[in-house]
Amino acid sequence: MFLNYLDFYATFTAWCNSHLRKAGTQIENIEEDFRNGLKLMLLLEVISGERLPKPDKGKMRFHKIANVNKALDFICSKGVKLVSIGAEEIVDGNVKMTLGMIWTIILRFAIQDISVEGEHFSWLGKTAPYRNVNVQNFHISWKDGLALCALIHRHRPDLIDYSKLRKDDPMGNLNTAFEVAEKYLDIPKMLDAEDIVNTPKPDEKAIMTYVSCFYHAFAGAEQAETAAKRICKVLAVNQENEKLMEEYEKLASELLEWIRRTIPWLENRVAEQTMRAMQQKLEDFRDYRRVHKPPKVQEKCQLEINFNTLQTKLRLSNRPAFMPSEGKMVSDIANAWKGLEQVEKGYEEWLLTEIRRLERLDHLAEKFKQKCSLHESWTSGKVELLSMKDYESASLMEIRALMRKHEAFESDLAAHQDRVEQIAAIAQELNELDYHDAVTINARCQGICDQWDNLGTLTQKRRDSLERVEKLWETIDQLYLEFAKRAAPFNNWMDGAMEDLQDMFIVHSIEEIQSLITAHDQFKATLPEADKERIATMGIQNEIVKIAQTYGIKLSGVNPYTNLSPQDITDKWDAVKHLVPLRDQMLQEEVARQQSNERLRRQFAAQANIIGPWIQTKMEEISHVSVDIAGSLEEQMSNLKQYEQNIINYKCNIDKLEGDHQLSQESLIFDNKHTNYTMEHVRVGWEQLLTTIARTINEVENQILTRDAKGISQEQLNEFRASFNHFDRKRNGMMDPDDFRACLISMGYDLGEVEFARIMTLVDSNNTGVVTFQAFIDFMTRETAETDTADQVMASFKILASDKVSWAAPLLHTSQWKNCAGSCPQSRPTTASAAPWTTSPSPVPCTERATYKHNPDPLLFCSPRPPTGFAPMP
């Protein structure tokens, strides 16, 4: 903690003297002058402004130690921890301990009072606006002296002209600051300008101690300025308080005067005679509430606020409380205001009561007029209505409707009885309240009561008349109802009969037309009973006419229960009797037509039942011929040609059947229960038969061509046919791919997927998914066709050249052939050699050319199995 304090010995001495001068003393040597503790205690009293315990005046060592301990205890009481500093070291003149103690005092009483952020005084931020000044520490930031000059200029700009200072003159700047501070600010010179400038890093504690003196010097000046401002503030507050007192007195007087003027107006309870006058009083009172009173409420509130504010300011200024003039206290104003509101409330209640009273009278008069108008409007025309004789020419339904209407009127009349009573009651109440126009009210009420009695008399008279006429019509109405009940079903029966007799029918057989004839006969059997029902229904109508003529009742001519008239019944009955023979004729004509159609059906069925089986039989025979392996291909061709001729000769039967079918179509015959064959079936079967015979003949022809071209024997073809038939499980002349694979495997083929796919592209190039017999034959002939041998070729040349073939001998020598076993794809032996119907491998034709040196023309030859490495002669 304690470094070399000797470097700032002079600074600490000057700092101590700057404070001790205030007590009229100073020190020369810190380590000697503080040993007895007296000046140390005096220094602490000066810088703290507090009194320390009385020092001991003795000169003994323990007296000195006691004084120093009192000083140290005081320092500790200020929250300062003294580490390794004891009274004995100070009394013994230990210079390091003494300087350490002084630095601790400086930190506590000179520097701690200043707001510190980190290592820098926030107070020094006042120098920030000055050019070339940037206080970042307490050593090199002060070397050029500009920071000290800026600090002085900031608080006392009259002492230094900062604009004339230069950064390159640190000595001048420092001395200027030291001289001004000592002369005008009473801050002793604690530092040496030369030492600061020549030292790379000036002592931080010395500069910090010196700068703290500026803070305290300026703080004192600011305190004085603050005191002056405080005095001015106190004077301003006193003036403001006086003004508030005057304003309070004025506002209080004006408010009390307004209350005294308003209360008599509100206490006036003289009622007006008309509703309009009372409403004007109410409007004046509302203006008082809306316009006149709110500003006074605000004045009262402001008066209380001013009073409370004034009292608060006086209390804060330690001045006596304000006492308004007599009768102008806040409580006096509150009591006066309370009396105003009570009178105001009573006045408002009185106004509302009077207005309600006048409103009641006006309401009763208006209500009386309204109810009278409604009643008179309702009774208008009622006397004429009750006097009408409309029931004399009405029907029963109309009389009953008039009766219901009259009953409704009686109910309405009873309901209006209450309104008449209310009118009388209102008139009585208006008379009791001495309404000014009671005479008019009474006259109108009397007229309504007289009219009401007359309506009651007329109502009862009309009821009696309606009941008498209603009984007279009930007998006629019952007869109308009975006529309607019997006429409606009879009319419906006739409508249905007419509809059935005129109904169009479509039949397709004798049975159906016979069923219609039977139903028609049954209908004709019901006609006598229907005629009896017609006569009974018409008798009811005759009874109605008789009653009307007897009692002189005017009939309207319309039955209220039905739209049917007696004439309608008579007309429809005549129509039914007219339609019956016409229906008989139509049915007999249809019987003749259906008999003719039946003959056509039987004629077509007789032929179709012969032709259909014949076509099916021929299809089966041709199928058997195509798969039959007995006999040669030429024999099969002969049989098929014969079949073809027979089929062509049979065409006349098909044409005859077509003619019968055409007759059936013209007669609209679309079904035939005598046969299962239709013309469409026969046509399709005939076309299939022609197609099948032609395709079969073509297959046999192709087989013959293949056999002759490939040199396949009849036995081999038969074996191919037998194998194909064996694997043709569906017996449709085609093999599925799986059946074809099984057939090839049975013949010794070792098939992989790739090889089988290649073979399928050969036999099913169109991707139909099946292998026909012709495709099978083509494939097998390619695999097993016989190749011409050398001896066969020799024999052929002999026949053509009449045994002059000596030039061809060298050519036919096998040593002259080119070996194509390695390069010709056709030179391999067929895998069909393992088939059960073959005994030796067959040669395969080759397209390789072998050239003979004596013959310039190339010939196509291939050896069945030439020796390996054999080649033509050069």
Side-chain angles (χ1 to χ4, degrees):
M1 174 179 177
F2 303 119
L3 302 174
N4 187 8
Y5 290 104
L6 295 177
D7 295 339
F8 41 86
Y9 182 93
T11 302
F12 283 5
T13 301
W15 182 83
C16 292
N17 287 331
S18 67
H19 292 286
L20 290 174
R21 280 203 305 270
K22 299 175 183 178
T25 184
Q26 63 179 10
I27 60 173
E28 297 293 337
N29 296 313
I30 288 179
E31 71 275 14
E32 293 295 334
D33 294 342
F34 285 142
R35 291 179 63 185
N36 59 4
L38 296 177
K39 291 187 177 182
L40 180 59
M41 294 178 68
L42 182 61
L43 176 63
L44 291 173
E45 288 181 349
V46 171
I47 63 177
S48 68
E50 300 180 15
R51 297 292 297 178
L52 271 68
K54 186 178 180 180
D56 293 331
K57 298 296 183 178
K59 296 183 179 181
M60 302 296 293
R61 177 179 173 80
F62 71 90
H63 292 123
K64 297 179 181 180
I65 292 174
N67 291 335
V68 174
N69 279 329
K70 291 177 182 179
L72 296 179
D73 290 342
F74 178 79
I75 295 173
C76 291
S77 68
K78 298 302 179 181
V80 179
K81 292 183 179 180
L82 298 173
V83 182
S84 302
I85 299 177
E88 290 80 3
E89 285 81 358
I90 303 301
V91 172
D92 292 341
N94 189 323
V95 64
K96 288 185 179 181
M97 291 300 178
T98 302
L99 291 174
M101 178 190 65
I102 297 301
W103 174 242
T104 300
I105 293 172
I106 292 172
L107 287 177
R108 172 60 184 83
F109 294 100
I111 297 176
Q112 183 173 324
D113 291 341
I114 307 173
S115 174
V116 178
E117 294 181 0
E119 295 182 354
H120 307 147
F121 294 142
S122 61
W123 170 68
L124 296 176
K126 296 180 179 182
T127 62
Y130 289 86
R131 58 181 175 84
N132 298 324
V133 176
N134 184 17
V135 177
Q136 298 292 331
N137 48 59
F138 283 98
H139 36 80
I140 60 176
S141 295
W142 303 86
K143 285 187 65 174
D144 56 6
L146 291 176
L148 286 173
C149 293
L151 193 60
I152 296 171
H153 186 267
R154 179 66 179 80
H155 293 85
R156 293 289 302 275
D158 57 312
L159 299 180
I160 295 179
D161 186 0
Y162 188 83
S163 62
K164 295 182 178 180
L165 300 178
R166 304 193 316 275
K167 185 175 179 62
D168 57 356
D169 186 17
M171 290 290 293
N173 297 337
L174 288 170
N175 287 325
T176 299
F178 294 157
E179 292 171 359
V180 170
E182 186 174 18
K183 182 176 181 180
Y184 297 102
L185 302 178
D186 197 22
I187 298 175
K189 184 179 180 182
M190 301 180 185
L191 304 173
D192 185 74
E194 187 175 355
D195 291 340
I196 293 174
V197 173
N198 296 330
T199 303
K201 182 180 179 181
D203 185 74
E204 186 176 16
K205 293 180 177 59
I207 293 178
M208 189 180 295
T209 301
Y210 185 65
V211 171
S212 67
C213 293
F214 283 90
Y215 171 79
H216 289 287
F218 293 136
E222 290 179 356
Q223 290 175 359
E225 183 179 355
T226 302
K229 290 180 180 179
R230 184 178 293 114
I231 292 172
C232 293
K233 183 178 179 181
V234 169
L235 293 175
V237 168
N238 289 337
Q239 291 176 354
E240 185 178 356
N241 291 341
E242 292 294 335
K243 183 178 180 181
L244 288 175
M245 292 178 189
E246 293 176 0
E247 289 180 356
Y248 177 84
E249 290 286 341
K250 181 181 178 182
L251 288 175
S253 299
E254 292 176 353
L255 184 58
L256 290 172
E257 179 62 23
W258 179 81
I259 293 173
R260 282 192 291 271
R261 289 196 314 269
T262 305
I263 288 177
W265 175 68
L266 295 174
E267 289 176 342
N268 183 10
R269 298 292 192 273
V270 178
E272 301 293 339
Q273 295 298 321
T274 63
M275 183 67 179
R276 184 172 183 180
M278 288 304 297
Q279 287 178 341
Q280 184 59 46
K281 276 185 172 291
L282 180 61
E283 188 64 27
D284 293 341
F285 179 72
R286 288 174 177 171
D287 288 341
Y288 156 77
R289 281 279 187 85
R290 291 193 303 263
V291 179
H292 302 290
K293 185 178 178 181
K296 299 304 177 181
V297 173
Q298 187 175 1
E299 290 179 8
K300 176 178 175 294
C301 180
Q302 187 62 42
L303 192 66
E304 294 175 354
I305 292 173
N306 291 347
F307 181 80
N308 293 333
T309 302
L310 178 60
Q311 297 291 39
T312 301
K313 289 184 176 182
L314 292 174
R315 185 174 63 255
L316 293 176
S317 302
N318 295 321
R319 295 193 58 190
F322 169 64
M323 290 298 294
S325 302
E326 185 178 356
K328 297 180 181 179
M329 292 291 293
V330 173
S331 58
D332 297 333
I333 295 173
N335 292 331
W337 190 267
K338 184 177 180 182
L340 174 67
E341 290 187 336
Q342 289 176 350
V343 175
E344 177 184 317
K345 182 178 180 182
Y347 185 74
E348 182 179 15
E349 292 175 354
W350 173 77
L351 278 175
L352 295 176
T353 302
E354 286 298 315
I355 289 174
R356 281 194 293 268
R357 183 181 68 83
L358 293 176
E359 281 180 342
R360 176 63 178 169
L361 284 174
D362 291 345
H363 172 70
L364 286 174
E366 187 63 28
K367 186 176 182 181
F368 177 83
K369 294 176 183 178
Q370 183 181 10
K371 286 186 176 294
C372 288
S373 298
L374 290 174
H375 179 77
E376 291 166 353
S377 175
W378 179 81
T379 58
S380 177
K382 294 295 189 294
V383 175
E384 292 78 6
L385 180 64
L386 294 172
S387 302
M388 290 176 62
K389 304 295 182 178
D390 51 348
Y391 51 82
E392 294 180 351
S393 61
S395 64
L396 177 60
M397 295 300 295
E398 291 172 342
I399 290 175
R400 287 178 176 173
L402 291 174
M403 195 65 184
R404 301 293 180 270
K405 184 177 180 181
H406 186 71
E407 290 173 354
F409 174 77
E410 289 177 333
S411 299
D412 197 13
L413 187 68
H416 279 75
Q417 176 67 34
D418 183 58
R419 177 181 294 168
V420 175
E421 294 175 355
Q422 289 178 3
I423 291 173
I426 293 172
Q428 183 179 355
E429 186 175 359
L430 287 172
N431 280 278
E432 291 174 355
L433 294 175
D434 195 18
Y435 183 63
H436 65 279
D437 197 12
V439 176
T440 304
I441 296 294
N442 294 333
R444 194 171 185 182
C445 180
Q446 187 61 44
I448 288 174
C449 292
D450 294 341
Q451 186 187 38
W452 185 255
D453 294 336
N454 186 35
L455 286 176
T457 302
L458 292 175
T459 300
Q460 184 60 41
K461 184 178 178 181
R462 183 173 176 81
R463 168 175 276 280
D464 295 339
S465 299
L466 288 172
E467 288 177 350
R468 175 175 52 81
V469 176
E470 182 181 18
K471 290 178 181 179
L472 182 62
W473 270 97
E474 283 180 351
T475 303
I476 297 176
D477 183 74
Q478 187 64 33
L479 292 174
Y480 272 140
L481 179 60
E482 185 176 355
F483 175 85
K485 288 182 178 179
R486 302 191 70 165
F490 184 68
N491 180 70
N492 291 337
W493 177 85
M494 288 191 296
D495 287 339
M498 293 173 63
E499 182 180 357
D500 292 340
L501 291 172
Q502 299 177 86
D503 186 25
M504 301 298 295
F505 55 84
I506 299 177
V507 295
H508 301 92
S509 65
I510 295 293
E511 291 79 5
E512 292 179 0
I513 190 61
Q514 288 296 339
S515 176
L516 291 177
I517 293 174
T518 302
H520 183 63
D521 292 340
Q522 293 174 354
F523 167 74
K524 290 191 293 184
T526 63
L527 290 178
E529 192 67 27
D531 190 43
K532 292 180 182 180
E533 179 65 20
R534 180 187 65 81
I535 294 172
T537 303
M538 296 302 292
I540 296 173
Q541 179 64 26
N542 295 333
E543 183 69 19
I544 293 172
V545 173
K546 182 179 179 180
I547 293 173
Q549 292 175 352
T550 302
Y551 294 99
I553 297 175
K554 183 180 179 181
L555 298 175
S556 62
V558 178
N559 191 324
Y561 298 106
T562 180
N563 292 325
L564 293 173
S565 66
Q567 188 62 41
D568 295 335
I569 300 297
T570 302
D571 293 342
K572 286 189 178 181
W573 177 254
D574 294 340
V576 169
K577 290 191 298 181
H578 176 70
L579 290 172
V580 169
L582 296 178
R583 185 71 170 182
D584 289 332
Q585 181 181 354
M586 291 176 61
L587 292 174
Q588 292 304 320
E589 291 175 354
E590 184 63 26
V591 167
R593 193 175 72 85
Q594 289 300 325
Q595 290 174 349
S596 175
N597 290 346
E598 183 66 15
R599 287 191 296 273
L600 290 175
R601 288 192 187 94
R602 292 180 182 276
Q603 181 178 339
F604 178 85
Q607 296 185 71
N609 289 336
I610 295 173
I611 294 175
W614 185 86
I615 292 175
Q616 187 174 359
T617 301
K618 292 303 176 183
M619 289 284 291
E620 293 175 355
E621 292 175 356
I622 292 170
S623 176
H624 292 155
V625 169
S626 64
V627 299
D628 190 8
I629 61 176
S632 64
L633 293 176
E634 287 75 6
E635 293 174 351
Q636 292 182 15
M637 177 62 71
S638 176
N639 293 335
L640 290 173
K641 291 290 185 178
Q642 184 177 356
Y643 274 113
E644 184 180 25
Q645 187 61 41
N646 292 338
I647 291 170
I648 293 172
N649 294 335
Y650 201 79
K651 180 67 167 55
C652 60
N653 297 320
I654 302 298
D655 295 339
K656 185 175 184 303
L657 187 65
E658 283 284 3
D660 293 342
H661 175 70
Q662 182 65 28
L663 293 176
S664 298
Q665 292 291 310
E666 292 174 355
S667 299
L668 301 179
I669 300 174
F670 301 107
D671 61 339
N672 195 335
K673 64 180 180 179
H674 303 294
T675 181
N676 294 326
Y677 294 99
T678 64
M679 193 64 225
E680 185 64 27
H681 293 156
V682 173
R683 291 194 192 103
V684 172
W686 179 255
E687 294 296 333
Q688 289 180 349
L689 179 61
L690 294 176
T691 302
T692 301
I693 188 63
R695 185 180 69 249
T696 305
I697 291 173
N698 180 258
E699 288 179 355
V700 173
E701 289 175 347
N702 290 336
Q703 293 176 22
I704 293 173
L705 292 174
T706 302
R707 181 197 62 187
D708 295 342
K710 303 297 182 179
I712 299 175
S713 66
Q714 183 64 40
E715 290 76 10
Q716 285 180 311
L717 287 175
N718 291 339
E719 289 174 356
F720 293 160
R721 169 62 72 181
S723 179
F724 184 87
N725 291 341
H726 176 73
F727 286 96
D728 181 13
R729 292 180 298 175
K730 297 180 179 179
R731 297 296 181 265
N732 58 356
M734 293 178 288
M735 285 192 295
D736 293 339
D738 293 338
D739 296 336
F740 181 59
R741 180 193 290 269
C743 180
L744 294 178
I745 292 174
S746 70
M747 292 187 295
Y749 279 83
D750 185 11
L751 295 176
E753 290 297 331
V754 177
E755 179 63 18
F756 181 70
R758 184 189 68 80
I759 294 174
M760 281 300 298
T761 59
L762 298 176
V763 299
D764 185 18
S765 59
N766 295 326
N767 293 325
T768 60
V770 294
V771 180
T772 63
F773 179 71
Q774 185 62 41
F776 179 76
I777 290 296
D778 292 341
F779 173 74
M780 295 306 302
T781 55
R782 284 197 300 272
E783 295 291 319
T784 62
E786 180 180 358
T787 304
D788 292 337
T789 63
D791 294 336
Q792 291 171 335
V793 174
M794 186 65 153
S796 299
F797 275 112
K798 287 179 179 183
I799 293 171
L800 295 174
S802 300
D803 295 333
K804 296 178 182 181
V805 292
S806 58
W807 57 271
L811 178 64
L812 299 177
H813 196 280
T814 57
S815 63
Q816 307 295 322
W817 293 16
K818 179 182 178 181
N819 182 10
C820 61
S823 60
C824 178
Q826 301 293 339
S827 63
R828 58 178 176 81
T830 177
T831 56
S833 60
W837 56 80
T838 58
T839 57
S840 62
S842 300
V844 179
C846 178
T847 58
E848 291 289 336
R849 294 180 179 271
T851 304
Y852 186 64
K853 64 180 180 178
H854 298 295
N855 187 1
D857 296 327
L859 294 176
L860 294 177
F861 292 104
C862 183
S863 171
R865 282 186 199 283
T868 303
F870 194 83
M873 292 179 63

